[in-house]
Coordinates of all heavy atoms in Angstrom, one line a residue:
Chain A
T215 N 20.7 -17.6 -13.8 CA 20.2 -18.3 -12.7 C 19.7 -17.3 -11.6 O 18.6 -17.4 -11.1 CB 21.3 -19.2 -12.0 OG1 21.9 -19.9 -13.1 CG2 20.7 -20.2 -11.0
P225 N 7.2 -10.6 -6.5 CA 5.8 -10.7 -7.0 C 5.5 -9.5 -7.9 O 4.4 -9.5 -8.5 CB 5.0 -10.6 -5.7 CG 5.8 -10.0 -4.7 CD 7.3 -10.4 -5.0
E251 N 3.9 -17.9 -22.2 CA 5.0 -18.2 -23.1 C 5.6 -19.6 -22.7 O 6.0 -20.3 -23.6 CB 6.0 -17.1 -23.1 CG 6.9 -17.2 -24.3 CD 7.7 -15.9 -24.5 OE1 8.3 -15.4 -23.5 OE2 7.5 -15.3 -25.6
S277 N -10.2 -8.2 -14.5 CA -10.8 -9.5 -14.0 C -10.8 -10.6 -15.1 O -10.7 -10.3 -16.3 CB -12.2 -9.2 -13.6 OG -13.0 -8.8 -14.7
L289 N -6.7 -17.1 -18.6 CA -6.1 -16.1 -19.4 C -7.0 -15.5 -20.4 O -6.6 -15.0 -21.5 CB -4.9 -16.8 -20.1 CG -3.8 -17.2 -19.2 CD1 -2.9 -18.3 -19.7 CD2 -2.9 -16.0 -18.9
V312 N 2.4 -9.9 -23.8 CA 1.7 -9.2 -22.7 C 2.3 -9.7 -21.4 O 2.7 -10.9 -21.3 CB 0.2 -9.7 -22.7 CG1 -0.6 -8.9 -21.6 CG2 -0.4 -9.5 -24.0
R315 N 0.7 -10.8 -14.2 CA 0.9 -11.2 -12.8 C -0.4 -11.6 -12.2 O -1.4 -11.0 -12.5 CB 1.4 -10.0 -12.0 CG 2.8 -9.5 -12.4 CD 3.4 -8.6 -11.4 NE 2.6 -7.3 -11.2 CZ 2.1 -6.9 -10.1 NH1 2.3 -7.5 -9.0 NH2 1.5 -5.7 -10.1
A325 N -18.6 -22.0 -4.1 CA -18.8 -23.3 -3.3 C -19.9 -23.1 -2.2 O -20.7 -23.9 -2.0 CB -17.5 -23.7 -2.7
D331 N -30.5 -21.0 -3.7 CA -30.9 -20.3 -5.0 C -29.8 -19.2 -5.2 O -29.2 -18.7 -4.3 CB -32.2 -19.6 -4.8 CG -33.4 -20.6 -4.7 OD1 -33.2 -21.8 -4.9 OD2 -34.5 -20.1 -4.3
I334 N -27.8 -13.6 -9.7 CA -26.7 -12.9 -10.2 C -27.2 -11.6 -10.8 O -28.1 -11.6 -11.7 CB -25.9 -13.7 -11.3 CG1 -25.3 -14.9 -10.6 CG2 -24.9 -12.9 -12.0 CD1 -24.7 -15.9 -11.6
L335 N -26.7 -10.5 -10.3 CA -27.1 -9.1 -10.7 C -25.9 -8.4 -11.3 O -24.9 -8.1 -10.6 CB -27.6 -8.4 -9.5 CG -28.6 -7.2 -9.6 CD1 -29.9 -7.6 -10.3 CD2 -28.9 -6.7 -8.2
L352 N -23.5 -23.6 -14.3 CA -24.1 -24.4 -15.4 C -23.4 -25.7 -15.5 O -24.0 -26.8 -15.8 CB -24.0 -23.7 -16.8 CG -24.8 -22.4 -16.8 CD1 -24.7 -21.7 -18.2 CD2 -26.3 -22.6 -16.5
G371 N -27.2 -1.9 -27.9 CA -25.9 -2.1 -28.5 C -24.7 -2.3 -27.5 O -23.6 -2.5 -27.9
W382 N -27.8 -19.0 -23.1 CA -28.2 -19.3 -21.7 C -29.7 -19.2 -21.6 O -30.3 -19.9 -20.8 CB -27.5 -18.4 -20.7 CG -26.0 -18.6 -20.7 CD1 -25.3 -19.8 -21.0 CD2 -25.0 -17.6 -20.3 NE1 -24.0 -19.6 -20.8 CE2 -23.7 -18.3 -20.4 CE3 -25.1 -16.3 -20.0 CZ2 -22.5 -17.6 -20.2 CZ3 -23.9 -15.6 -19.7 CH2 -22.6 -16.3 -19.8
M433 N -24.5 -1.1 -7.9 CA -24.4 -2.1 -6.8 C -25.1 -1.6 -5.5 O -25.7 -2.4 -4.8 CB -22.9 -2.4 -6.5 CG -22.2 -3.1 -7.7 SD -20.7 -4.0 -7.3 CE -19.6 -2.7 -7.0
G438 N -29.6 -2.7 -2.1 CA -30.9 -2.2 -1.5 C -32.1 -3.0 -2.0 O -32.9 -3.4 -1.1
G447 N -27.9 -9.4 4.4 CA -26.6 -8.8 4.0 C -25.4 -9.8 4.0 O -24.5 -9.7 3.3
K459 N -2.0 -0.7 -8.1 CA -0.7 -0.6 -8.7 C 0.1 -1.8 -8.4 O 1.1 -2.1 -9.1 CB 0.1 0.6 -8.2 CG -0.6 1.9 -8.5 CD -0.8 2.2 -10.0 CE -1.5 3.5 -10.2 NZ -1.8 3.7 -11.7
C468 N -5.6 0.8 -3.2 CA -7.0 0.2 -3.3 C -7.7 0.2 -2.0 O -8.7 -0.5 -1.8 CB -6.9 -1.2 -3.9 SG -6.1 -2.3 -2.8
F482 N -16.5 -8.9 -1.9 CA -16.7 -8.7 -0.4 C -18.2 -9.1 -0.1 O -19.1 -9.0 -0.9 CB -16.6 -7.2 0.0 CG -15.2 -6.7 -0.1 CD1 -14.7 -6.1 -1.2 CD2 -14.4 -6.8 1.0 CE1 -13.4 -5.6 -1.3 CE2 -13.1 -6.3 1.0 CZ -12.6 -5.7 -0.2

Side-chain angles (χ1 to χ4, degrees):
Chain A
T215 313
E251 198 161 57
S277 61
L289 290 158
V312 185
R315 294 193 297 125
D331 292 349
I334 294 173
L335 201 60
L352 295 179
W382 294 333
M433 293 200 288
K459 301 295 180 187
C468 68
F482 291 92

